[in-house]
Amino acid sequence: MRTAANNPFSPGSDTIPQVWAGRTAQLSDWRDIVRPRRDAGLPERGRTILGEAGLGKSSLVRKIARDAADAGDWVTPQLRIPSGSDPLKRVATAALALADRAGLATSTERRVSDLLARVQRVAVSGVSLSVRQADGPEPYTALTDLLIEVGQAAIAQHRIALIHIDEMQNIADEQVLSQLLIALGDALSHEVAVPLPGGLHATRTLPIAVYLTGLPEFADMAGARKGATFARRFATTTLAAIDDDDLTAALRPFVIEGWEVTDGDGGVARIRMEPAAADLIVTLCQGEPFLFQLAGERAWYASTADVIAADQVLAGWEVAAPEAVAHVERILERLPTREREFVQVMAELPAPERTLTRIAKELGLTKHTDAGPTSQRLDTVRGIITRGKPYTFRHRAVEAYLTSDWPYVSRHD
């Protein structure tokens, strides 16, 4: 029996879907590289996960954070930064919570209690906190010092402290962004001496991991403006669409054994999916995690039967199509004029003719090199196209929207 209460699909940036698809490289990166290296005291950069809306950036890091919490690590909540807000206040509040988890609040050291009091003032006043020589260090320096104390406590208790800051592109103040990145980067690179058998000592980094997520333009804000320092301390990944094979694999439990749900009478039932229905969901969503969840959610609601059929997927997609249109249009509307024109002209050309020379000509440019910076941004920063011979679309939903009738499909099609 399919109901709203047992629907496992959940389109939305602030959820971890039950039906998880792909992103194995990023999940393995946390499990096999970031956590083991930080735990061993080896240097490892923070991670920046960027991408257009709907690619599952926040869900990905929330899944990593949940796995870390399940393993006993200290994890901040998803620290979303609203536009115009002071991120130092938000991060300082989370750092105080980590300090409490680490037991620092009960410390009898005057130095630690003074530091906690200082960061508490930062959590209230943020970057606007007045700084005089008698007041102590800058707010971001106090934040760094507290994170270092948390990291040292994590060493003693064999834990990792994981910090996740979301919507990084909303930090418009360049000075505030610089202070936040320096505070986090200094904590990541800080080394402490630890005792070894025989009275020897060695240095190690702190078991602190930092994940930053946001829209692609954050790459400009942090990378180009902050230069090599940011690149040395954070490794950036721009997410692309999920492969069809990964989406198909995510739906295999429905096709093979059925998805287990409660039946409303204290028992369990299984909801199955026809192979054709699973294939249709994969085709319709164009590799977009948000649209994958949306197509699954609407197919679930299209009937109460215990088998999801292809006609139910189509019926549900008819309801979802306007939202799919709005999703892609929001991505296009966010592009600067030149980038949007580039994408539109590229879409109008036959696939074999999508070369930089031809696109530049259609844009009315005298030299194809004039279109080079725009194409580079659409490739390396936004992840919408792939430069090559010829150029191709990496963002499949944008391509489908601009070159076909998608997302509107008929039952006959």
Side-chain angles (χ1 to χ4, degrees):
M1 182 74 173
R2 286 140 63 183
T3 68
N6 59 27
N7 190 338
F9 295 96
S10 52
S13 61
D14 294 333
T15 61
I16 304 174
Q18 295 182 56
V19 186
W20 183 266
R23 305 301 184 216
T24 54
Q26 291 75 34
L27 294 172
S28 297
D29 179 60
W30 159 254
R31 183 183 64 248
D32 301 331
I33 298 176
V34 176
R35 193 188 188 285
R37 287 183 62 82
R38 299 305 303 195
D39 186 45
L42 298 172
E44 186 61 40
R45 290 181 291 175
R47 294 298 191 260
T48 304
I49 310 293
L50 306 179
E52 295 294 340
L55 287 173
K57 307 175 294 294
S58 300
S59 296
L60 168 62
V61 180
R62 289 194 66 169
K63 182 172 175 59
I64 290 172
R66 186 179 67 182
D67 292 346
D70 289 344
D73 291 333
W74 304 335
V75 178
T76 69
Q78 176 187 8
L79 305 177
R80 299 186 66 186
I81 307 300
S83 181
S85 66
D86 185 340
L88 285 185
K89 294 169 66 174
R90 188 85 171 89
V91 178
T93 300
L96 288 168
L98 289 176
D100 187 60
R101 182 82 181 272
L104 297 181
T106 61
S107 174
T108 58
E109 290 188 54
R110 175 66 180 273
R111 174 184 58 83
V112 174
S113 60
D114 288 348
L115 177 58
L116 290 172
R118 177 66 179 173
V119 177
Q120 285 168 352
R121 292 196 292 273
V122 175
V124 173
S125 302
V127 75
S128 64
L129 182 67
S130 63
V131 178
R132 299 187 303 273
Q133 187 64 34
D135 290 333
E138 292 272 5
Y140 76 91
T141 304
L143 176 60
T144 302
D145 291 343
L146 181 57
L147 291 176
I148 290 171
E149 291 291 337
V150 169
Q152 290 176 321
I155 293 174
Q157 300 182 44
H158 305 288
R159 297 286 186 265
I160 301 290
L162 190 153
I163 301 167
H164 173 205
I165 308 177
D166 196 14
E167 306 289 1
M168 289 294 295
Q169 77 283 347
N170 286 337
I171 307 176
D173 189 310
E174 191 170 331
Q175 291 183 344
V176 175
L177 175 60
S178 177
Q179 291 181 33
L180 177 61
L181 293 179
I182 288 174
L184 297 171
D186 285 354
L188 285 171
S189 60
H190 186 80
E191 293 183 336
V192 296
V194 292
L196 297 176
L200 301 176
H201 287 79
T203 59
R204 58 157 295 163
T205 58
L206 301 171
I208 294 176
V210 178
Y211 278 81
L212 311 177
T213 51
L215 294 174
E217 47 263 40
F218 178 67
D220 286 338
M221 299 167 61
R225 299 180 189 175
K226 301 297 175 288
T229 300
F230 176 77
R232 286 198 305 267
R233 292 178 167 183
F234 289 87
T236 298
T237 297
T238 300
L239 296 182
I242 296 177
D243 292 340
D244 285 354
D245 288 345
D246 288 335
L247 296 171
T248 299
L251 296 176
R252 291 296 287 174
F254 290 90
V255 175
I256 302 302
E257 66 267 13
W259 189 271
E260 188 175 288
V261 298
T262 57
D263 62 6
D265 296 321
V268 297
R270 290 188 177 273
I271 306 301
R272 300 182 181 275
M273 185 179 292
E274 292 179 354
D279 292 343
L280 191 52
I281 289 176
V282 171
T283 299
L284 291 171
C285 76
Q286 298 292 329
E288 291 279 286
F290 169 72
L291 298 180
F292 174 71
Q293 296 294 328
L294 182 64
E297 177 193 62
R298 290 298 146 184
W300 187 277
Y301 289 145
S303 172
T304 59
D306 58 3
V307 176
I308 300 175
D311 64 331
Q312 295 167 20
V313 173
L314 285 174
W317 188 251
E318 288 179 1
V319 178
E323 192 169 357
V325 168
H327 168 69
V328 176
E329 287 182 342
R330 281 194 296 269
I331 293 172
L332 293 172
E333 289 167 359
R334 282 198 330 100
L335 297 179
T337 301
R338 176 163 286 193
E339 292 180 23
R340 186 166 61 250
E341 291 174 347
F342 188 104
V343 170
Q344 290 171 336
V345 165
M346 179 175 160
E348 292 168 359
L349 292 170
E353 299 179 24
R354 292 171 181 166
T355 64
L356 183 60
T357 300
R358 182 64 189 278
I359 295 169
K361 180 180 178 181
E362 296 298 322
L363 286 169
L365 302 175
T366 56
K367 297 183 296 183
H368 74 274
T369 52
D370 291 341
T374 301
S375 68
Q376 183 178 16
R377 284 185 55 78
L378 287 167
D379 181 358
T380 59
V381 176
R382 300 198 181 277
I384 291 179
I385 69 169
T386 298
R387 291 172 296 168
K389 296 183 179 180
Y391 280 27
T392 57
F393 279 94
R394 192 185 313 169
H395 200 294
R396 291 158 48 196
V398 167
E399 179 182 23
Y401 177 75
L402 293 175
T403 62
S404 71
D405 293 331
W406 182 94
Y408 297 106
V409 295
S410 69
R411 293 174 184 259
H412 175 72
D413 293 336

